[in-house]
């Protein structure tokens, strides 16, 4: 297993920007009794910059625990790392049988796109999920070829791609002028 799969990202507490590194949940105060409930802090740890010949410092940046996302170990068609809670645009071919002039069968390919959310699954690892007509559509990240997957955002920075009622991604960016319904719950914007 690659260590890059343990890389996480989260939004900094101080300025809301993304930081990448290793996740650490740490109690900042030692307590004597179990009834004492210390509030743990959440950090991303990464290497800082240093001059030649010196050991790089480790930097601990406090982050919002609700935004911690694990790396999947996969990349998209633009070589962007794919993280949990990323919004993925998946373009996949659909084979259609068509008759040819000489009577032999031929295949024509059309392409369909689907917007999904990358989530962790305890059995399958990371999957991309979308729910249409009460059926979940799953794409296992191992089955997706890098050239058909594109990271188009995440659920934190692109809340307009997420239905506020059911939390599933829209099939495309909602059209506020034409009142696009959610394909999962049917709710209009």
């Amino acid at each position: 297993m690659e260590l890059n799969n343990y890389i996480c990202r989260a939004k900094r507490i101080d300025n809301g920007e993304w930081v990448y590194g290793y996740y650490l949940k740490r109690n900042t105060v030692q307590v004597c009794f179990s009834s004492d409930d210390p509030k743990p802090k959440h950090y991303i740890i990464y290497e800082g910059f240093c001059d030649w010949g010196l050991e790089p410092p480790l930097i601990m940046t406090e982050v919002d625990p609700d935004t911690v996302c694990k790396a999947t170990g996969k990349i998209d068609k633009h070589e962007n790392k794919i993280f949990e809670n990323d919004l993925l645009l998946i373009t996949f071919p659909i084979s259609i049988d068509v008759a040819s002039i000489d009577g032999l069968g031929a295949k024509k390919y059309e392409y369909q796109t689907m917007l999904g959310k990358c989530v962790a699954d305890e059995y399958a690892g990371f999957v991309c999920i979308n729910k249409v007509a009460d059926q979940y559509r799953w794409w296992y990240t191992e089955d997706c070829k890098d050239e058909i997957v594109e990271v188009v955002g995440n659920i934190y920075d692109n809340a307009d791609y997420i239905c506020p009622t059911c939390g599933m991604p829209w099939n495309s960016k909602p059209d506020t002028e034409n009142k696009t319904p959610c394909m999962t719950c049917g709710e209009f914007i």
Side-chain angles (χ1 to χ4, degrees):
M1 183 177 284
E2 291 185 34
L3 285 178
N4 283 338
N5 291 356
Y6 295 107
I7 297 290
C8 292
R9 74 170 179 206
K11 288 194 170 243
R12 296 170 60 122
I13 290 287
D14 57 357
N15 63 12
E17 292 186 11
W18 288 105
V19 62
Y20 299 81
Y22 298 96
Y23 173 67
L24 172 68
K25 177 180 172 183
R26 181 174 184 232
N27 287 329
T28 55
V29 180
Q30 187 64 32
V31 294
C32 294
F33 301 102
S34 62
S35 62
D36 295 338
D37 187 21
K39 298 288 185 223
K41 291 191 175 186
H42 303 266
Y43 298 94
I44 294 287
I45 302 172
Y46 57 95
E47 283 188 351
F49 179 77
C50 68
D51 286 333
W52 290 100
L54 297 175
E55 183 176 340
L58 288 179
I59 299 172
M60 285 180 33
T61 302
E62 190 173 0
V63 296
D64 178 355
D66 294 332
T67 64
V68 174
C69 305
K70 298 179 218 168
T72 64
K74 301 291 181 183
I75 58 171
D76 74 353
K77 68 181 186 178
H78 301 293
E79 297 187 7
N80 297 315
K81 290 181 181 176
I82 300 174
F83 286 85
E84 181 180 24
N85 294 318
D86 274 346
L87 295 174
L88 305 177
L89 187 64
I90 300 176
T91 304
F92 50 94
I94 298 174
S95 173
I96 300 171
D97 290 327
V98 293
S100 62
I101 296 172
D102 59 7
L104 297 174
K107 291 209 181 279
K108 175 184 169 187
Y109 290 95
E110 291 183 0
Y111 292 88
Q112 182 177 358
T113 59
M114 182 64 69
L115 184 67
K117 178 172 67 171
C118 184
V119 297
D121 180 73
E122 66 179 297
Y123 301 108
F126 287 95
V127 297
C128 183
I129 184 172
N130 193 327
K131 187 177 177 185
V132 177
D134 292 330
Q135 292 182 338
Y136 284 99
R137 294 186 180 183
W138 298 73
W139 294 273
Y140 298 95
T141 53
E142 286 75 19
D143 296 340
C144 290
K145 305 288 185 252
D146 297 340
E147 66 271 9
I148 67 170
V149 177
E150 180 179 8
V151 176
V152 294
N154 60 67
I155 65 169
Y156 306 106
D157 294 335
N158 307 96
D160 53 341
Y161 280 94
I162 302 296
C163 176
T165 304
C166 67
M168 293 302 294
W170 301 91
N171 251 358
S172 60
K173 188 172 181 178
D175 183 355
T176 54
E177 291 179 15
N178 296 324
K179 299 286 187 184
T180 308
C182 175
M183 292 184 68
T184 303
C185 65
E187 182 74 23
F188 284 88
I189 313 174

